[in-house]
Amino acid sequence: TTTDTTTDTTTDTTTDTTTDTTTDTTTDTTTVANKRTVFATGESRSFLAHDDGATKRGASRATIESNTHLKWYKSSNSPTTWDDAVSYCRSLTVAGESGWRLPSFEELQTQNDLGNRGGGKYWSSTEYPYNPTSMAYYIDFSTGFSAEYGSRDVYEKSHHYQVRCVKGDTLASGEFSRDDAKEIVTDKSTHLMWEDTNHINQTSGVEDAIAYCENLTLGGYHDWHLPNLNEIYTIADRSHYDAAVNQAFDHTLSIGTNNSGSSYRAANFWTSTYYGARSDDSSVHYYRTFNERDAASHRCRYYMGMHTRCVRAVK
């Protein structure tokens, strides 16, 4: 398990001054609903042109409450096991209001602001599909990660993590469909369209991954980009294990039974979301990744060979 103890004390002043003068004249006739908002990650640091910190894609985080209509309560109690966390939220009454619950992973992720990290590990109600009887997903708000390489132990329900309770209607699920001729998957709930080609089997550094998506023409569309962490999280299906992505996708990565750190890392996809260490040392620049085995988030050095799946917004 890799542990990053580096403290980021440097402000990255890189400015992307590139102006996109290309106009996409393709007429998008895809019909979409308006059910699920994808919020910005909150990460503002930028190391490469067109990365998440430069483009800041997604709805303003200031609109989370008005978009999700969820109420939150952060427990001040000591960290607790998953079973006790579920029971705590169910029995909670705040200002006369009951009906609280432990949030799903998707609900908890809306609270994960990468520009304001801190707070440690929090339980979600979403059980980990490898062994749902004894394992559940969590999010570490100090790092923005949801796993450790090659280790399933972190998901054990016997661990003591912190608790945030939520109240309100559950978030809408994805509505995925695949265009087999174009090799594109569209999610009507998020207005996002995804590349689903054999190219995902190739690997590159994150800079080349960004360039590939920026230059991609697929299905007659020219405005693809490398997804940020919140965008790629929307394709996850956390009821499945290896591969934990929506079943509308034909092209996915699977690593089988090998649980070593190096094999697990082989199912990683780049995101455009930076995870900075020190801006004065290029060897420790990291970008966040999404693992298709269990839909968890990690980090990899920017030059390492990871996979790429591009996305575009339906207009």
Side-chain angles (χ1 to χ4, degrees):
T1 301
T2 303
T3 303
D4 184 3
T5 59
T6 307
T7 301
D8 181 10
T9 59
T10 304
T11 300
D12 191 330
T13 58
T14 303
T15 302
D16 179 9
T17 58
T18 303
T19 300
D20 185 358
T21 59
T22 303
T23 300
D24 189 347
T25 58
T26 303
T27 300
D28 193 339
T29 58
T30 305
T31 302
V32 295
N34 187 16
K35 296 182 178 180
R36 185 177 177 187
T37 303
V38 182
F39 299 101
T41 66
E43 180 59 76
S44 60
R45 295 173 299 174
S46 175
F47 175 55
L48 296 170
H50 305 294
D51 67 8
D52 185 19
T55 61
K56 299 179 177 64
R57 289 185 171 93
S60 168
R61 298 195 60 80
T63 67
I64 289 176
E65 184 175 347
S66 61
N67 270 285
T68 63
H69 305 289
L70 295 175
K71 293 183 179 181
W72 290 90
Y73 179 80
K74 181 179 176 181
S75 170
S76 59
N77 295 345
S78 300
T80 187
T81 65
W82 185 85
D83 288 323
D84 286 345
V86 171
S87 297
Y88 171 81
C89 290
R90 284 177 178 170
S91 62
L92 180 65
T93 299
V94 179
E97 289 192 44
S98 57
W100 299 86
R101 66 180 187 276
L102 194 64
S104 68
F105 184 96
E106 290 75 18
E107 290 168 332
L108 189 61
Q109 177 62 20
T110 66
Q111 303 297 293
N112 189 16
D113 185 350
L114 300 182
N116 186 24
R117 291 177 292 174
K121 297 181 175 71
Y122 282 80
W123 281 121
S124 83
S125 64
T126 306
E127 293 176 311
Y128 191 73
Y130 177 79
N131 188 350
T133 301
S134 64
M135 296 180 175
Y137 286 96
Y138 70 93
I139 294 177
D140 188 338
F141 282 79
S142 297
T143 62
F145 297 138
S146 56
E148 294 181 43
Y149 282 121
S151 174
R152 288 190 289 257
D153 295 342
V154 291
Y155 299 111
E156 290 288 347
K157 292 179 179 179
S158 58
H159 285 304
H160 286 66
Y161 297 155
Q162 298 182 71
V163 181
R164 295 187 187 194
C165 303
V166 72
K167 179 180 172 67
D169 293 337
T170 58
L171 298 180
S173 300
E175 298 179 40
F176 293 87
S177 61
R178 189 177 195 274
D179 186 323
D180 294 336
K182 293 183 177 179
E183 294 189 295
I184 288 173
V185 173
T186 300
D187 179 7
K188 291 184 178 181
S189 72
T190 60
H191 298 214
L192 294 178
M193 186 178 283
W194 295 89
E195 173 194 12
D196 190 33
T197 72
N198 275 322
H199 181 266
I200 71 157
N201 295 302
Q202 300 182 35
T203 61
S204 71
V206 69
E207 189 168 14
D208 287 341
I210 290 174
Y212 167 77
C213 292
E214 292 292 325
N215 294 314
L216 177 64
T217 296
L218 180 66
Y221 304 113
H222 313 283
D223 54 348
W224 299 88
H225 63 271
L226 187 66
N228 66 30
L229 182 63
N230 284 356
E231 288 174 321
I232 204 167
Y233 262 154
T234 64
I235 71 172
D237 181 353
R238 294 185 176 84
S239 66
H240 289 85
Y241 183 79
D242 199 22
V245 294
N246 189 276
Q247 294 183 335
F249 288 87
D250 278 359
H251 298 282
T252 60
L253 297 179
S254 174
I255 62 174
T257 59
N258 191 332
N259 201 46
S260 68
S262 58
S263 294
Y264 184 85
R265 192 176 291 116
N268 269 355
F269 282 77
W270 285 119
T271 80
S272 63
T273 305
Y274 184 53
Y275 179 83
R278 292 199 310 270
S279 61
D280 61 338
D281 185 349
S282 62
S283 68
V284 291
H285 279 296
Y286 293 86
Y287 274 78
R288 297 178 187 273
T289 57
F290 170 82
N291 194 281
E292 283 202 350
R293 187 186 200 188
D294 61 1
S297 169
H298 301 278
R299 75 182 189 285
C300 291
R301 287 189 172 99
Y302 74 97
Y303 55 78
M304 298 175 71
M306 301 299 154
H307 302 269
T308 303
R309 191 189 291 283
C310 305
V311 67
R312 67 176 293 271
V314 178
K315 297 170 183 169

